[in-house]
């Protein structure tokens, strides 16, 4: 699920990360594959739980005190749970994985190695206890922006957004970025990616999955332009029809 592909200029490889799981959703692993071209063939390298034996940068020993519901401590040795995810490559070429962890209760932001094939051993916990999934990340004016959703299965819910000056946070909640008909249900969709428009700085397309829970193979997409208000907050407004010229 949630496959994302990024290009590594050092290795000249296209690297895919994705959520790999078992039928009961207990495996919660990240899968990795590589290819010489963006459309494959991809060679599967394996799947694992990220950051085994690594403490998040923004935790203390208190966060690892044993408790029945302390999944961070429980999974420390074997690696943290990783479900819905996205990838983001910063301006300096450093790549990051954002993934829902701790049974979807907390988002982890994890730096990747220089070859993008494994965690670099540097990550943080964000939105602790907020139950967020479907992360989508983009950068504008030196600030990092996040779109995400709540955890309501295949049913839509109000989108969420946040901003940070540093990719590791702290993140400031900006509320629901959607405006217009069905905004409170994210136009029937769930965030999956924010696409920068090539060659046109500060212009983006918000991409949403519109799940058909009764027939998942017939699920569709919603693509809408991202705009910004006078305070720099990202907005996604409904348009029955639009063109790239509207994505300003």
């Amino acid at each position: 699920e949630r496959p994302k592909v990024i290009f590594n200029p050092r290795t000249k490889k296209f690297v895919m990360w994705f959520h790999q799981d078992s039928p009961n959703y207990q495996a919660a692993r990240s899968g990795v594959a590589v290819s010489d071209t963006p459309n494959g063939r991809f060679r599967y390298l394996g799947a694992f739980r990220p950051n085994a034996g690594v403490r998040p940068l923004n935790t203390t020993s208190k966060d690892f005190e044993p408790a029945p519901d302390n999944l961070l401590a429980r999974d420390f040795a074997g690696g943290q749970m990783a479900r819905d995810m996205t990838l983001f490559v910063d301006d300096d070429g450093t790549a990051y994985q954002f993934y829902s962890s701790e049974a979807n209760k907390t988002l982890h932001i994890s730096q990747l190695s220089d070859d993008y094939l494994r965690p670099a051993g540097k990550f943080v916990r964000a939105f602790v206890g907020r139950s967020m999934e479907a992360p989508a990340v983009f950068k504008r004016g030196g600030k990092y922006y996040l779109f995400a959703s709540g955890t309501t299965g295949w049913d839509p819910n109000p989108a969420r957004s946040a901003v940070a000056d540093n990719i590791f946070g702290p993140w400031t909640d900006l509320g629901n970025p959607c405006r217009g008909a069905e905004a409170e249900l994210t136009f029937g969709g769930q965030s999956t990616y924010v696409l920068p428009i090539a060659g046109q700085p500060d212009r983006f397309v918000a991409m949403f999955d519109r799940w058909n829970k009764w027939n998942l193979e017939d699920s569709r997409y919603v693509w809408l332009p991202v705009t910004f208000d006078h305070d720099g907050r990202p907005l996604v407004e409904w348009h029955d029809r639009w063109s790239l010229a509207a994505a300003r």
Side-chain angles (χ1 to χ4, degrees):
E1 300 179 349
R2 303 284 183 186
K4 301 294 185 296
V5 178
I6 52 179
F7 177 69
N8 189 301
R10 300 179 182 89
T11 64
K12 309 299 182 186
K13 298 288 186 182
F14 292 87
V15 182
M16 177 190 292
W17 283 65
F18 52 91
H19 167 207
Q20 192 255 31
D21 224 315
S22 53
N24 60 3
Y25 272 73
Q26 295 304 302
R29 293 183 291 239
S30 291
V32 181
V34 296
S35 174
D36 292 327
T37 64
N39 58 336
R41 302 180 60 180
F42 279 86
R43 179 168 57 91
Y44 176 59
L45 301 182
F48 54 89
R49 286 192 171 187
N51 293 303
V54 178
R55 290 195 175 195
L57 298 175
N58 58 346
T59 57
T60 66
S61 57
K62 185 177 181 179
D63 294 300
F64 287 87
E65 293 178 354
D69 60 347
N70 190 343
L71 302 185
L72 178 72
R74 184 199 70 181
D75 295 335
F76 173 73
Q80 299 298 328
M81 302 175 77
R83 290 183 176 144
D84 273 18
M85 57 136 287
T86 196
L87 299 177
F88 174 78
V89 180
D90 210 341
D91 300 332
D92 63 359
T94 304
Y96 299 85
Q97 181 195 22
F98 286 63
Y99 58 92
S100 298
S101 192
E102 302 174 40
N104 288 3
K105 296 295 184 183
T106 298
L107 194 71
H108 288 188
I109 304 170
S110 176
Q111 184 175 325
L112 299 185
S113 58
D114 287 345
D115 59 9
Y116 301 171
L117 299 182
R118 61 191 182 281
K122 184 178 179 181
F123 80 107
V124 296
R125 302 169 77 211
F127 307 100
V128 176
R130 286 286 308 279
S131 295
M132 293 172 67
E133 63 182 13
V137 184
F138 61 106
K139 189 176 184 180
R140 176 183 184 262
K143 294 182 180 292
Y144 301 89
Y145 294 90
L146 170 75
F147 289 164
S149 85
T151 53
T152 53
W154 303 112
D155 296 320
N157 57 66
R160 302 174 182 182
S161 64
V163 64
D165 292 323
N166 186 295
I167 198 163
F168 282 146
W171 288 83
T172 300
D173 197 321
L174 297 178
N176 187 349
C178 296
R179 300 289 186 273
E182 294 190 75
E184 288 306 306
L185 291 178
T186 316
F187 318 119
Q190 184 184 44
S191 50
T192 186
Y193 198 72
V194 175
L195 179 70
I197 300 177
Q200 301 185 41
D202 296 341
R203 299 181 65 194
F204 306 90
V205 176
M207 307 167 73
F208 302 91
D209 293 313
R210 181 177 278 181
W211 301 113
N212 179 351
K213 65 180 180 180
W214 307 114
N215 184 6
L216 287 174
E217 292 183 355
D218 192 44
S219 297
R220 304 301 175 96
Y221 301 97
V222 176
W223 290 13
L224 291 167
V226 180
T227 57
F228 297 86
D229 67 13
H230 63 279
D231 293 322
R233 296 182 178 223
L235 302 176
V236 181
E237 298 181 86
W238 178 259
H239 299 269
D240 289 332
R241 299 178 64 87
W242 65 277
S243 67
L244 286 178
R248 296 188 181 277

